[in-house]
């Protein structure tokens, strides 16, 4: 008995059952093997036995010429396969969702300073046009490329602001 789904038994070289769980079948002709028999040492096929479709496999034992036969109920095998496929699809969907969420979170975290840089530069350009009175520093304190770039932009904006203030004072003094 194979996990309640099938059975294995042994045939001699004349296709008579020599080992079987059901003792009444011993020394009788097997009805399954002739349906899948081939010239090869091993074979596999579907057999309709008593209205039940079964998956049957055989393999030849070379020394004795005996055949080991394994019969499984097709419906129960496919039910197990379908169940496992369904579980794997759900698992892959959950894993894919977790991976996508992780990537999305990482991108948001990594790219968040871009919005701050954009707003800071927009404010700085308003300052240059005279629409604002003072500059607004970016104040990004990260130690990555965005942080280094923001520090350099803050330094340059401060320098430009100082030069513009000096120029304004000079123009006001000349008036």
């Amino acid at each position: 008995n194979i996990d309640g789904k099938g059975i294995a038994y042994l045939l001699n070289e004349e296709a008579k059952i020599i080992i079987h769980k059901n003792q009444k079948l011993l020394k009788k002709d097997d009805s399954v093997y002739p349906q899948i028999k081939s010239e090869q040492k091993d074979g596999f096929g579907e057999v309709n036995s008593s209205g039940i479709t079964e998956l049957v496999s055989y393999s030849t034992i070379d020394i004795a010429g005996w055949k080991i036969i394994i019969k499984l109920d097709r419906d129960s095998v496919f039910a197990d396969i379908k169940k496992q496929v369904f579980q794997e699809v759900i698992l892959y969907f959950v894993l894919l969702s977790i991976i996508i969420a992780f990537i999305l979170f990482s991108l948001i975290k990594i790219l968040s300073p871009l919005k701050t840089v954009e707003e800071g530069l927009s404010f700085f350009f308003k300052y240059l046009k005279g629409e604002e009175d003072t500059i607004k520093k970016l104040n990004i304190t990260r130690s990555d490329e965005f942080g280094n770039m923001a520090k350099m932009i803050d330094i340059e904006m401060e320098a430009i602001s100082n030069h513009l203030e000096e120029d304004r004072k000079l123009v006001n003094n000349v008036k």
Side-chain angles (χ1 to χ4, degrees):
N1 193 356
I2 302 173
D3 198 25
K5 295 179 177 82
I7 194 163
Y9 55 93
L10 197 60
L11 302 178
N12 65 12
E13 61 277 356
E14 298 160 358
K16 296 204 182 279
I17 300 172
I18 56 174
I19 297 177
H20 198 285
K21 181 179 178 182
N22 185 349
Q23 298 293 320
K24 295 177 185 176
L25 296 175
L26 295 179
K27 298 182 183 178
K28 295 193 177 182
D29 289 331
D30 183 35
S31 61
V32 174
Y33 175 68
Q35 295 181 47
I36 62 167
K37 180 179 170 182
S38 70
E39 297 297 322
Q40 298 176 342
K41 289 177 21 176
D42 305 316
F44 178 82
E46 281 189 17
V47 174
N48 195 346
S49 175
S50 305
I52 299 172
T53 304
E54 296 176 310
L55 301 173
V56 181
S57 177
Y58 74 89
S59 184
T60 304
I61 301 170
D62 289 332
I63 296 172
W66 294 353
K67 310 275 189 234
I68 185 163
I69 308 289
I70 299 175
K71 292 191 322 183
L72 299 169
D73 178 43
R74 186 185 75 170
D75 292 339
S76 63
V77 170
F78 283 131
D80 287 348
I81 291 171
K82 287 178 185 177
K83 180 182 172 186
Q84 290 175 354
V85 167
F86 182 72
Q87 289 173 343
E88 287 184 21
V89 166
I90 289 175
L91 174 68
Y92 292 142
F93 181 74
V94 168
L95 289 175
L96 181 64
S97 299
I98 290 170
I99 291 169
I100 288 173
F102 176 75
I103 290 171
L104 185 61
F105 175 75
S106 297
L107 285 174
I108 289 171
K109 184 77 173 154
I110 290 169
L111 298 177
S112 64
L114 279 180
K115 187 70 175 166
T116 306
V117 169
E118 178 186 359
E119 291 169 355
L121 288 175
S122 176
F123 192 85
F124 180 67
F125 290 132
K126 286 180 183 178
Y127 169 77
L128 290 176
K129 290 188 230 176
E131 296 173 10
E132 297 291 336
D133 294 332
T134 60
I135 62 167
K136 178 178 161 186
K137 290 188 175 185
L138 300 178
N139 292 326
I140 297 175
T141 58
R142 293 170 46 156
S143 60
D144 60 0
E145 290 82 7
F146 284 117
N148 294 336
M149 185 173 64
K151 286 177 193 171
M152 290 181 66
I153 290 172
D154 282 345
I155 291 169
E156 294 301 322
M157 285 191 325
E158 186 70 35
I160 290 171
S161 173
N162 289 339
H163 289 303
L164 279 176
E165 288 300 318
E166 289 175 9
D167 289 348
R168 285 182 186 150
K169 286 180 186 175
L170 182 65
V171 168
N172 286 336
N173 285 341
V174 171
K175 286 184 183 180

